[in-house]
Amino acid sequence: MSAAPQSRATPWPAVPDDANALAANVWPDAADRDEHGVLRLGGIPATTLRERFGTPLYVLDEDEVRARARRTLAAFRTAAAAHDVQARVYYAGKAFLSTEVVHWVTDEGLAVDVCTGGELAVALAAGADPSRLGFHGNNKSVAELERAVAVGIGSIVIDSWIELERLAAIVERRDAQQAVLVRVNSGVHAETHDFLATAHEDQKFGFTLQDAAAAVARIRELDGLTFVGLHCHIGSQIFGTAGFRESAARVVELHAALLEGGDVPVLNLGGGFGIAYRPEDDPTPIEELATGIVEAVARECAVRGIPIPNLAFEPGRAIVGKAGVTLYEVGTTKPVEVDESFTRLYVSVDGGMSDNARPALYGAQYTARVASRTSDAEPALARVVGKHCESGDIVVDAEYLPGDVAPGDLLAVPATGAYCFSLASNYNYVPRPPVVALRGGEARVIVRGETVDDLLARDAGLTAPTEGNDMPVLSEGIETK
Ligand code: LLP
């Protein structure tokens, strides 16, 4: 199994033929340059977006999110239908969640997976049908579980013995009935290339395959819980089908054993389908993944002579990742002589690790282009950095940009739709940028940007602290913390 490369062998990419080119695999489908060379997103010049909304700016192409949601659903449904079973696709909200995004994906027929009370609150605020929500997480609080049961959430994925008993007590007290899945740790991990050698994983999620059987037996003893199936998620940003197929084989074995004790209608194989962040990345098309995974499940079921269960999947990044572009303005540039043969051009932009933590967290590699113009200047090896007080505040580690890139230029970083907005912080008291959605040639704010007032609003030295203010209430009945 291969995971996408998080770092490359040489510290720089190949010199491009054209440092203005927009590689089709990383930019939204509707990205191009107008007759002046200005980058257009969804038909709107990046310069117009800057004038209207400022920078940094998260731009999310709604048409592309919808198209990817449709394509992903069709891929899994078609693959499942070939074996006479059904597939449900949950959008993994952790990749990017706002009420608008919930509307788009549910309009397109997806269910939604949430993993905290906060994410649940957003999905409910968007009017999502609670019966089409799934709830994950390795440490759901009593309040979060209470809320989920109270609103009639479709399913809860149980992650531990303690949670099992916690939920059992809640449903008993409320005299409720709750559908649950059991999360298993199949021992296959995305970051492990030699997955066959991985016997037991040292991580926090789920039950081991051995313990899961006992957990299911316990659930089946309880009147208030209905066991519907196993859940397994092997990791994220995975290229190829090998890891999914191996994991499916292991999980189907347990699934088959559980059939001896009753129905097991569903198998949820999670998300993790990779996308291209750089032109050289080559993820497996979703149709191929869907077919490969479903065929693997079908084969494993056939070997054991059991019916194929209905299948569920939870893509996040694959739906929103490529639909997002972040626009920045260049503030300073600085050639830094690394050694006698090599100078690196540092290009500082007006955001950084607060709006995209992924390079700092995972060594993630991105690409960038000057958005406000094209240039014939000789390409220079650049490192795009943010404005935070850390040398690890890198947005794009290595990219050839036109050598005349200068203060005032707009810089665009593609493939930022997933896990950038959702991982954003206020480090150094930098306000988080707005999110603008593009559809049919129109742009509109779907999450407003933060102001300095927002940054000061929680400072109890300026606003009188309220009694008991240590448990902020997000909305009725949902407490996070
Ligand atoms: N289902 C479960 C149970 C998950 O834990 C996740 C991601 C997904 C689905 C969706 O995975 P996706 O299809 O988006 O790969 N912050 C990291 C990724 C963390 C993923 C956490 N779980 C990053 O920026 O790469």
Side-chain angles (χ1 to χ4, degrees):
M1 163 175 86
S2 59
Q6 294 291 316
S7 60
R8 60 175 72 79
T10 58
W12 50 80
V15 184
D17 296 336
D18 176 4
N20 305 295
L22 307 174
N25 61 336
V26 291
W27 292 87
D29 289 349
D32 62 359
R33 289 194 186 265
D34 70 11
E35 65 277 19
H36 310 292
V38 175
L39 172 73
R40 274 193 305 213
L41 298 170
I44 305 174
T47 44
T48 305
L49 293 170
R50 164 167 62 185
E51 276 157 33
R52 284 186 58 192
F53 307 109
T55 55
L57 182 66
Y58 291 121
V59 182
L60 198 58
D61 186 324
E62 177 180 347
D63 291 316
E64 175 126 359
V65 174
R66 285 177 177 271
R68 296 200 149 253
R70 276 196 298 276
R71 179 175 161 188
T72 306
L73 184 59
F76 283 107
R77 278 194 176 157
T78 306
H83 298 276
D84 293 326
V85 292
Q86 293 178 355
R88 178 177 277 199
V89 175
Y90 290 81
Y91 166 64
K94 54 186 78 68
F96 185 115
L97 202 64
S98 76
T99 55
E100 279 278 331
V101 171
V102 173
H103 292 150
W104 308 345
V105 297
T106 53
D107 264 7
E108 300 299 339
L110 272 58
V112 178
D113 128 32
V114 297
C115 69
T116 62
E119 288 188 358
L120 176 60
V122 176
L124 294 174
D129 174 355
S131 73
R132 288 179 54 81
L133 300 179
F135 193 12
H136 275 289
N138 66 300
N139 187 15
K140 306 177 197 77
S141 69
V142 170
E144 288 173 324
L145 290 168
E146 287 268 6
R147 175 68 169 160
V149 172
V151 301
I153 200 155
S155 58
I156 296 178
V157 182
I158 297 184
D159 197 272
S160 67
W161 288 109
I162 289 177
E163 182 177 278
L164 199 171
E165 297 306 331
R166 197 175 271 169
L167 185 58
I170 290 170
V171 292
E172 192 182 340
R173 184 158 17 90
R174 304 184 76 97
D175 198 17
Q177 192 66 41
Q178 180 62 54
V180 297
L181 290 90
V182 167
R183 177 151 180 178
V184 293
N185 172 357
S186 67
V188 175
H189 194 270
E191 268 69 53
T192 308
H193 289 253
D194 187 7
F195 58 85
L196 288 169
T198 312
H200 183 83
E201 265 208 84
D202 191 3
Q203 51 97 333
K204 69 178 182 175
F205 293 108
F207 292 85
T208 61
L209 287 162
Q210 296 76 24
D211 282 359
V216 173
R218 170 72 182 134
I219 291 167
R220 282 174 164 161
E221 286 169 11
L222 296 162
D223 288 339
L225 300 182
T226 310
F227 174 67
V228 294
L230 297 174
H231 176 284
C232 181
H233 169 80
I234 59 169
S236 203
Q237 182 58 1
I238 302 167
F239 287 13
T241 58
F244 293 110
R245 286 189 279 113
E246 174 60 21
S247 180
R250 298 183 191 187
V251 176
V252 168
E253 188 171 347
L254 175 60
H255 174 97
L258 295 175
L259 284 172
E260 286 163 25
D263 277 354
V264 190
V266 175
L267 177 61
N268 186 325
L269 292 170
F273 317 116
I275 64 163
Y277 282 95
R278 298 223 14 115
E280 59 270 24
D281 291 344
D282 189 19
T284 314
I286 199 75
E287 292 77 10
E288 215 176 292
L289 279 171
T291 309
I293 297 168
V294 175
E295 273 175 3
V297 173
R299 207 166 31 244
E300 296 299 328
C301 290
V303 167
R304 294 173 176 80
I306 58 167
I308 306 170
N310 288 324
L311 299 169
F313 300 91
E314 299 169 339
R317 188 190 320 261
I319 307 287
V320 286
K322 189 170 175 278
V325 174
T326 310
L327 293 179
Y328 301 99
E329 188 172 285
V330 175
T332 65
T333 62
K334 187 189 289 176
V336 173
E337 195 179 303
V338 178
D339 62 37
E340 276 160 22
S341 65
F342 171 46
T343 298
R344 198 197 297 276
L345 182 62
Y346 275 81
V347 176
S348 295
V349 296
D350 49 358
M353 64 192 296
S354 54
D355 60 77
N356 186 354
R358 299 192 68 259
L361 276 177
Y362 316 113
Q365 303 286 343
Y366 286 84
T367 179
R369 286 289 176 248
V370 171
S372 39
R373 62 190 174 98
T374 51
S375 163
D376 293 333
E378 189 68 22
L381 182 61
R383 176 170 285 168
V384 180
V385 295
K387 63 181 288 163
H388 296 277
C389 288
E390 278 203 41
S391 53
D393 173 26
I394 291 169
V395 180
V396 183
D397 181 49
E399 182 57 285
Y400 280 95
L401 293 175
D404 62 355
V405 58
D409 277 334
L410 259 182
L411 205 78
V413 176
T416 57
Y419 303 110
C420 289
F421 167 79
S422 52
L423 282 170
S425 77
N426 285 131
Y427 184 39
N428 298 141
Y429 276 94
V430 170
R432 283 173 290 189
V435 184
V436 160
L438 308 180
R439 187 167 202 205
E442 302 288 330
R444 66 188 199 285
V445 172
I446 61 164
V447 181
R448 76 163 172 81
E450 278 174 330
T451 62
V452 172
D453 284 345
D454 288 326
L455 299 179
L456 294 173
R458 293 187 308 134
D459 189 319
L462 300 168
T463 54
T466 30
E467 201 62 32
N469 189 20
D470 57 341
M471 275 288 246
V473 174
L474 278 181
S475 77
E476 189 208 344
I478 300 197
E479 291 158 348
T480 57
K481 222 174 167 193

